[in-house]
Amino acid sequence: MGKCQLQYLPGSAKPAIDLAATLGIKAAPVAVHRFPDGELRVTVATPDPTTVLYATFDPPNEKLLAVLFAAEALRRNGCQRLVLVAPYLCYMRQDTAFQPGESISQRVVAELLSDAVDRVITVNAHLHRTKDIRSIFPGIVAEDLSAMPEIAKYLQALPLDPATIVVGPDEESRPWISEIARRLGLAFAIAQKTRQGDSSVVITLPPQDFQGHPVLLVDDIVSSGGTLMSCARALKSVGASVIDAVIVHALFPAAQIAQLESAGIRSVRSTDSLSHPSAVIPLAGVLASALHGEIEADA
Ligand code: R5P
């Protein structure tokens, strides 16, 4: 031990320290000072030849700059191999110009990170039209891990009603909905979603019998909460008994949990990809599995 360590940006101390403990490596914070004009000063600890930089991109713009600044300082102070662990990776949704003149932010962000680090590990990146995350990170190793095994493991430990139906809000959710349902031995259903605006969506449920069934709503990202709330209202209107939600990335403000509850959602649980009161499902296990090679290579 000693040739590999982990450094983490503010906002991620607990999951980062948990990950370092799982890997048996030391963890140190990266200090980020915000000047009155909004500029950032980033100060790293002395790196090891292999250093894992743990940073989840919330809020996205400031974290992106902080990661780029930290990467520069780590390299200049002796880091030879820099692995970015970003459980939530920002700007992955804007993977095309939806309207004339729009920038393809996914491409810009991926190119910036490709210049800064040697490897990127993320979880359930929002890559709906991008088939493979490797295609957007030129020249470096990039991996998009699935949180579904950890989510299923967490849910398996709960007393789940076998009549529960796992529901996904849109066709894009089918892969993870079918995986969770298979792992839990439950039925599943996929709704249709039409987005009308940043926080407004229309959900159409499939012709399935929800009357009296508990529902487990699963989604990758909750941002405005519009998708979950529309789904919950639709499910209530067809007689679902209780609705619980499990998500990977809880991007919505903590105060909005009350709004989700008033739409009929009994509980919201998320992974610890983001610091959030709903974050009860640790990702340290899946991240550590992906990182073991880095530690062994340095042993
Ligand atoms: C969309 O394709 C995603 O899977 C989520 O359903 C979406 O990002 C949720 O966003 P919001 O909470 O703003 O409805």
Side-chain angles (χ1 to χ4, degrees):
M1 201 170 108
K3 289 185 187 164
C4 182
Q5 62 163 270
L6 181 148
Q7 296 195 25
Y8 55 91
L9 259 60
S12 303
K14 183 171 184 319
I17 291 168
D18 287 350
L19 175 58
T22 307
L23 290 165
I25 60 175
K26 70 176 181 188
V30 172
V32 179
H33 174 75
R34 196 168 205 276
F35 290 105
D37 63 359
E39 289 190 353
L40 302 179
R41 180 187 62 212
V42 169
T43 310
V44 301
T46 303
D48 281 317
T50 297
T51 296
V52 175
L53 179 60
Y54 188 110
T56 206
F57 286 80
D58 179 38
N61 301 333
E62 189 159 310
K63 281 287 164 59
L64 186 55
L65 274 183
V67 163
L68 297 176
F69 295 162
E72 184 281 326
L74 289 166
R75 295 274 198 214
R76 193 165 32 78
N77 284 281
C79 170
Q80 290 156 18
R81 178 163 175 78
L82 183 53
V83 179
L84 175 65
V85 171
Y88 170 69
L89 193 53
C90 59
Y91 285 110
M92 292 298 106
R93 283 177 275 191
Q94 185 80 24
D95 56 6
T96 188
F98 297 97
Q99 301 293 333
E102 283 181 359
S103 70
I104 305 179
S105 348
Q106 182 203 65
R107 188 179 296 169
V108 177
V109 168
E111 283 174 7
L112 281 171
L113 293 175
S114 297
D115 285 345
V117 305
D118 299 298
R119 182 182 176 195
V120 173
I121 299 173
T122 189
V123 179
N124 288 104
H126 201 90
L127 295 172
H128 288 165
R129 286 155 295 266
T130 306
K131 292 277 174 280
D132 187 336
I133 197 168
R134 290 174 294 186
S135 67
I136 58 167
F137 283 94
I140 67 164
V141 178
E143 287 142 283
D144 183 23
L145 307 177
S146 171
M148 297 311 143
E150 301 297 322
I151 289 177
K153 201 193 311 171
Y154 177 89
L155 294 170
Q156 271 156 353
L158 302 178
L160 273 183
D161 185 331
T164 301
I165 303 175
V166 185
V167 174
D170 48 34
E171 197 51 45
E172 288 153 336
S173 68
R174 184 178 290 277
W176 62 77
I177 297 301
S178 55
E179 181 180 345
I180 291 282
R182 178 180 54 75
R183 285 176 181 268
L184 298 176
L186 299 173
F188 72 92
I190 307 292
Q192 301 285 332
K193 176 166 84 178
T194 310
R195 186 166 283 284
Q196 297 184 318
D198 282 351
S199 57
S200 165
V201 302
V202 174
I203 294 286
T204 310
L205 294 172
Q208 203 157 327
D209 184 13
F210 292 98
Q211 183 66 46
H213 284 271
V215 163
L216 188 62
L217 263 177
V218 181
D219 206 354
D220 58 346
I221 294 179
V222 174
S223 179
S224 71
T227 300
L228 275 198
M229 289 192 285
S230 297
C231 259
R233 289 192 195 102
L235 287 160
K236 277 283 168 196
S237 74
V238 293
S241 56
V242 285
I243 302 168
D244 295 296
V246 180
I247 53 184
V248 181
H249 307 298
L251 279 173
F252 61 101
Q256 208 183 337
I257 291 182
Q259 253 180 286
L260 299 178
E261 285 169 355
S262 61
I265 298 173
R266 177 175 67 173
S267 72
V268 185
R269 298 181 178 96
S270 65
T271 74
D272 62 2
S273 72
L274 293 155
S275 172
H276 198 271
S278 64
V280 292
I281 306 171
L283 292 175
V286 65
L287 293 170
S289 304
L291 285 163
H292 276 309
E294 303 288 348
I295 315 294
E296 282 154 19
D298 270 339

